[in-house]
């Protein structure tokens, strides 16, 4: 079996922050807690969870924009956490990220040409003429004409700005792109266009995606597999089909029950979760979901459930699947 392109093992991220009166008390925020997964070349893994579950921290740790507190990250056989800074700088050319709001990620003072050419100027020795050709072809790849070379971000619609951000991310021919809520700020019709564009780019370029979102319905058509996160842990991971056809974790079931379905007459029982995701500074004991789980049992308050395979390639962390339960 080929080595996966990306392999994350037991990743943890703990922040220290000052709390209490006059900031005298040190407080630990456990943003990631034992996160493990692997991702093959050309695959898409969807990472799904509510705000505060650790999805964006995970993305930043993978690109080493944050230093994880523990665990390992291997990319194409290299241990990213052991790479010297210069090695990581070179590696980042192969690993790009596209953010939720293109208007905050694109410098408003730069034109389309300057925005897309910036990585080429930093990392290659291309002449201005070569860069102009390359930028025009990158813009064409994302469905924008040459006229967008002279447009500034304030002259773009949300979809056009996200296409420009994608062209910029593609400039150095990456293998892997982290898409952090790339469609959340867009209208529904534009979301579908961007998802179709991403699928086309993946087919043509053999790209590998980590697609982060709070909305399960967005990742349904683009993901090969989906990992559901809750308070810094992956609670369920399996194929995209199995998540939608046969969700096992009560949290996944609740997320799915609030996902819109194409047929409004379809019978779906909605589970409304009480409250929000608890603070990572003060996580509940045992299974962190027990404060909101409609099926919580006594053991859930005392012990965190181990991950178990309930089917081939379908792992769940929930006491409902303990052998004795
Ligand atoms: Fe609910 Fe218990 Fe399963 Fe956690 S372990 S999801 S609280 S049933």
């Amino acid at each position: 079996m080929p080595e996966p392109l990306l392999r994350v093992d037991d990743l943890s991220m703990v922040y220290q922050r000052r709390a209490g009166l006059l900031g005298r008390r040190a407080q630990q925020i456990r943003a990631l807690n034992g996160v493990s997964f692997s991702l093959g070349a050309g695959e898409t893994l969807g990472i799904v969870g509510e705000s505060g579950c650790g999805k964006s921290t995970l993305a930043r740790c993978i690109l080493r924009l944050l230093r994880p507190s523990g665990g390992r990250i291997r990319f194409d056989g290299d241990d990213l956490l052991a790479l010297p800074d210069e090695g990581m700088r070179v590696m980042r050319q192969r690993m790009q990220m596209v953010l939720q709001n293109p208007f905050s990620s694109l410098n408003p003072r730069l034109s389309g040409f300057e925005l897309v050419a910036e990585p080429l100027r930093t990392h290659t020795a291309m002449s201005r003429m070569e860069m102009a050709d390359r930028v025009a072809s990158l813009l064409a790849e994302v469905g924008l004409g040459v006229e967008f070379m002279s447009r500034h971000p304030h002259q773009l619609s949300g979809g056009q700005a996200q296409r420009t951000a994608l062209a910029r991310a593609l400039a150095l021919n990456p293998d892997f792109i982290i898409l952090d809520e790339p469609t959340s700020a867009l209208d529904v019709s534009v979301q579908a266009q961007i998802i179709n564009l991403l699928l086309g780019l993946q087919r043509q370029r053999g790209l590998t995606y980590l697609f982060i979102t709070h909305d399960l319905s967005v990742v349904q058509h683009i993901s090969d597999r989906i990992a559901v996160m809750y308070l810094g842990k992956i609670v369920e991971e399996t194929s995209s089909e199995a998540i939608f056809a046969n969700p096992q974790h009560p949290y996944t079931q609740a997320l799915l029950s609030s996902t819109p379905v194409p047929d409004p007459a379809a019978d779906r029982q909605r589970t409304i979760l009480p409250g929000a995701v608890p603070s990572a500074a003060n996580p509940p004991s045992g299974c962190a979901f027990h404060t909101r789980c409609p099926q919580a049992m006594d053991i859930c308050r005392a012990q965190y459930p181990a991950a178990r395979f309930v089917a081939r390639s379908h792992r769940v962390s929930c006491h409902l699947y303990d052998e004795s339960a």
Side-chain angles (χ1 to χ4, degrees), residues 249-251 287-291 293-297 299-301 303-305 317-321:
H249 195 281
Y251 179 56
C287 170
F289 187 55
H290 83 250
T291 52
C293 179
Q295 299 180 65
M297 306 171 281
I299 189 174
C300 306
R301 292 172 194 94
Q303 271 179 38
Y304 186 79
S317 296
C318 173
H319 287 301
L320 291 173
Y321 305 97

Side-chain angles (χ1 to χ4, degrees), residues 156-199:
L156 304 176
S157 67
Q160 290 164 347
Q162 200 55 297
R163 286 171 192 266
T164 305
L166 257 172
R168 181 182 157 95
L170 294 172
L172 297 171
N173 289 326
D175 307 281
F176 171 62
I177 304 184
I178 296 181
L179 303 155
D180 190 355
E181 304 266 13
T183 59
S184 302
L186 305 174
D187 293 344
V188 174
S189 61
V190 183
Q191 284 185 4
Q193 291 168 15
I194 296 291
I195 295 285
N196 286 335
L197 172 63
L198 289 167
L199 284 165

Side-chain angles (χ1 to χ4, degrees), residues 48-56 100 181 212-215 229-232 251 255 276-280 292:
V48 181
E50 290 163 284
S51 168
C53 73
K55 314 179 293 279
S56 295
Q100 174 178 357
E181 304 266 13
I212 292 173
T213 181
H214 66 281
D215 182 354
M229 282 187 75
Y230 191 79
L231 216 59
Y251 179 56
L255 284 182
V277 179
S279 165
R292 303 170 79 198

